[in-house]
Amino acid sequence: MSKVALTVNGKPVEVEVEHRTLLSTVLREALGLTGTHIGCDTSQCGACTVHLDGRVVKSCTVLAVQVQGQSVKTIEGLAPSFDASGARLHPVQQAFSECHALQCGFCTPGMIMAVTGLLQDHPQPDDQQIIHGLEGNLCRCTGYVNIIKAVKQAAQMMQA
Amino acid sequence: MYEFSYVKPASLDEAAQLLANHDDAKPLSGGMTLIPTLKQRLAQPSHLIDIAALTELRGIEVTAGQLIIGAATRHIEVATSMTVRTALPALAALASTIGDPQVRNRGTLGGSVANNDPNADYPAAVLALGATVHTQRRAIAADDFFQGVFTTAIEEGELITRIAFPLPTRAAYAKFPHPASGFAMTGVFVAETGGRVRVAVTGAGPGVFRWREAEAALADRFAAESIEALVVDPSGLNADIHAPAEYRANLMKVLASRALRAILNSSEGAVA
Ligand SMILES: Cc1cc2nc3c(=O)[nH]c(=O)nc-3n(C[C@H](O)[C@H](O)[C@H](O)COP(=O)(O)OP(=O)(O)OC[C@H]3O[C@@H](n4cnc5c(N)ncnc54)[C@H](O)[C@@H]3O)c2cc1C
Ligand code: FES
Ligand code: FES
């Protein structure tokens, strides 16, 4: 067992973990942040996507001990990072809701974290950039059409 | 996952020492292959030696006609580095097609080359460019490094430290990605360096290999037509649920032609 200190959604936390414990397990089980979903556990689906020091990663494929001293943002931290009171949705969440970019919603937290990562690199992405940028996230319901629509709407909202 | 001890050494020497002291220790770089393997209990290392942050394994520079990239350099860094995009754009383009953004943000050059997955992208570039793989002990020519499926010249306790790519006059990579993972069903890297043409194929056979017939044909005439005239024997090529060997044999020609057209149609002569 080791102690790992990290920052999660802006707050410093310290957890005691086995070395084989995954970051996703710490987020969901030790910290109760169950918005980070586990869809496959084989590094394919992206449902577990979070930001690690500002870059998207699959938290089921990172060991908790690897992130000592680093900063993690999960879906729970997204709205407060945009609006300190957390009363308003982040524009990407808002656009997903308005464009009906989800059906069962299982992929949605990972999808939204991937989209916010994509918009950092490409603030006004075209279709190809959106498709390429979301290759690590699978959705079994929507057929992606409304997800692409939501990304474009979010990009506009964030520019305004 | 079976239990293991995670250790984060402060220097390359310390990492090498840890690997020497523990027979069943394994280096951990980006973890994009190793962690999924551990989750499936396909490996049981006693220790994971985290080398991803070692300064000796990081950095990108051009010196004496070579592009030198540290083993722990992540795919995203190679894809976006202005140094790589200027000196060897085909390599930057290759890196930008590996997996997906999450994988590119973690996975590293050294991890990919050490792993030598038969469908991985980087091995094609290392072999076609005639790169040199440096370890803490020696320098290994690409032609001696890759030795078949998941097999390389790397010995127990040996760590890839950096890879030196001679700068080609022109080069391009074309791949047919597996639609789910992005891995190359087949990928072909064509490079002309110091007047010599080398063609490396990944994904099609049991490990990356040089396509000598294509090299000879292109040495005669550097054009897509030279490739189209070749006949590829599918025996010995990979066949699986994704594609039979004949399909991969055809992909070799299609992708080599695409790489050539990309080279000959681009003003810089080096895109993928
Ligand atoms: C969903 C998904 C999609 C992917 N798609 C692609 C793709 O399209 N194309 C592609 O090429 N790859 C793909 N990959 C693999 C990816 O590129 C990995 O990053 C790469 O194969 C391994 O690099 P790593 O740094 O993550 O290594 P790790 O997983 O940390 O290590 C891999 C192996 O190499 C050893 N090792 C690591 N570093 C060194 C070193 N410096 N010296 C000696 N041994 C070392 C480790 O002990 C281990 O055995 C994909 C992976 C995933 C999960
Ligand atoms: S749960 Fe992590 S990629 Fe599917
Ligand atoms: S909304 Fe159901 S998986 Fe995407």
Side-chain angles (χ1 to χ4, degrees):
Chain A
M1 302 284 281
S2 279
K3 277 211 168 76
V4 175
L6 67 163
T7 304
V8 178
N9 296 330
K11 293 191 203 82
V13 297
E14 199 174 79
V15 286
E16 176 119 352
V17 294
E18 281 189 58
H19 291 185
R20 61 179 165 174
T21 307
L22 298 168
L23 175 58
S24 53
T25 309
V26 165
L27 295 173
R28 290 176 54 81
E29 294 176 18
L31 303 176
L33 297 170
T34 53
T36 298
H37 288 172
I38 299 299
C40 66
D41 213 20
T42 56
S43 316
Q44 312 274 334
C45 76
C48 63
T49 300
V50 300
H51 295 193
L52 179 60
D53 282 348
R55 307 289 313 175
V56 293
V57 301
K58 292 173 181 169
S59 62
C60 79
T61 316
V62 176
L63 301 172
V65 284
Q66 283 177 290
V67 307
Q68 163 64 36
Q70 290 185 279
S71 172
V72 175
K73 193 194 283 178
T74 70
I75 187 74
E76 290 89 348
L78 199 58
S81 74
F82 165 72
D83 165 24
S85 73
R88 283 191 297 155
L89 292 177
H90 184 280
V92 176
Q93 293 172 312
Q94 186 73 37
F96 265 62
S97 167
E98 286 172 11
C99 297
H100 195 58
L102 58 144
Q103 288 176 24
C104 79
F106 194 83
C107 70
T108 310
M111 199 61 89
I112 286 179
M113 296 313 286
V115 170
T116 53
L118 166 69
L119 292 175
Q120 281 169 24
D121 292 345
H122 303 285
Q124 293 296 321
D126 60 27
D127 281 20
Q128 273 320 307
Q129 286 168 327
I130 296 170
I131 291 167
H132 191 51
L134 296 181
E135 266 165 359
N137 293 78
L138 299 180
C139 175
R140 302 279 80 176
C141 303
T142 62
Y144 302 98
V145 173
N146 286 352
I147 292 178
I148 295 172
K149 219 185 269 178
V151 176
K152 290 184 174 164
Q153 174 163 329
Q156 270 178 4
M157 289 162 71
M158 288 170 77
Q159 203 179 40
Chain B
M1 263 187 268
Y2 296 111
E3 274 186 79
F4 53 77
S5 298
Y6 168 92
V7 194
K8 193 167 179 179
S11 69
L12 178 61
D13 281 349
E14 192 189 337
Q17 200 53 53
L18 284 161
L19 288 167
N21 292 349
H22 303 285
D23 283 350
D24 293 324
K26 256 186 174 302
L28 170 68
S29 193
M32 291 298 103
T33 293
L34 187 49
I35 294 174
T37 308
L38 295 175
K39 284 164 86 174
Q40 293 184 60
R41 295 196 166 184
L42 295 174
Q44 191 171 8
S46 61
H47 297 73
L48 290 190
I49 315 300
D50 188 348
I51 56 171
L54 294 177
T55 47
E56 296 95 328
L57 305 190
R58 302 198 45 84
I60 299 176
E61 58 169 352
V62 174
T63 42
Q66 294 198 315
L67 172 67
I68 297 166
I69 305 182
T73 308
R74 301 199 194 271
H75 306 331
I76 183 72
E77 296 173 284
V78 174
T80 57
S81 151
M82 275 321 289
T83 307
V84 182
R85 287 169 68 169
T86 310
L88 192 31
L91 190 70
L94 174 150
S96 75
T97 71
I98 297 176
D100 54 52
Q102 292 93 325
V103 169
R104 291 193 292 276
N105 281 337
R106 301 291 293 168
T108 68
L109 172 65
S112 174
V113 170
N115 193 52
N116 193 20
D117 186 297
N119 297 284
D121 295 298
Y122 272 132
V126 172
L127 190 58
L129 291 162
T132 303
V133 180
H134 291 268
T135 75
Q136 83 275 32
R137 298 177 191 158
R138 58 191 171 137
I140 309 167
D143 285 309
D144 302 323
F145 184 84
F146 299 106
Q147 303 183 349
V149 178
F150 296 113
T151 311
T152 69
I154 291 282
E155 292 165 354
E156 288 295 315
E158 195 169 14
L159 283 167
I160 300 179
T161 51
R162 59 188 189 278
I163 298 183
F165 299 90
L167 295 182
T169 35
R170 40 190 183 173
Y173 178 63
K175 85 166 170 178
F176 188 89
H178 185 281
S181 69
F183 271 108
M185 299 258 294
T186 294
V188 180
F189 201 109
V190 178
E192 187 181 55
T193 315
R196 294 195 48 210
V197 182
R198 288 168 64 114
V199 181
V201 178
T202 188
V208 66
F209 63 92
R210 278 175 70 184
W211 185 8
R212 307 276 178 172
E213 294 82 3
E215 293 180 0
L218 294 175
D220 262 3
R221 181 164 172 243
F222 197 80
E225 290 73 21
S226 306
I227 296 293
E228 281 147 18
L230 296 174
V231 177
V232 182
D233 177 5
S235 61
L237 295 186
N238 297 340
D240 54 26
I241 54 164
H242 307 303
E246 291 75 14
Y247 189 84
R248 287 189 165 86
N250 188 55
L251 275 181
M252 283 169 57
K253 288 175 62 170
V254 170
L255 296 169
S257 302
R258 277 187 199 165
L260 279 154
R261 294 216 163 84
I263 290 173
L264 296 167
N265 295 341
S266 84
S267 47
E268 316 100 274
V271 290

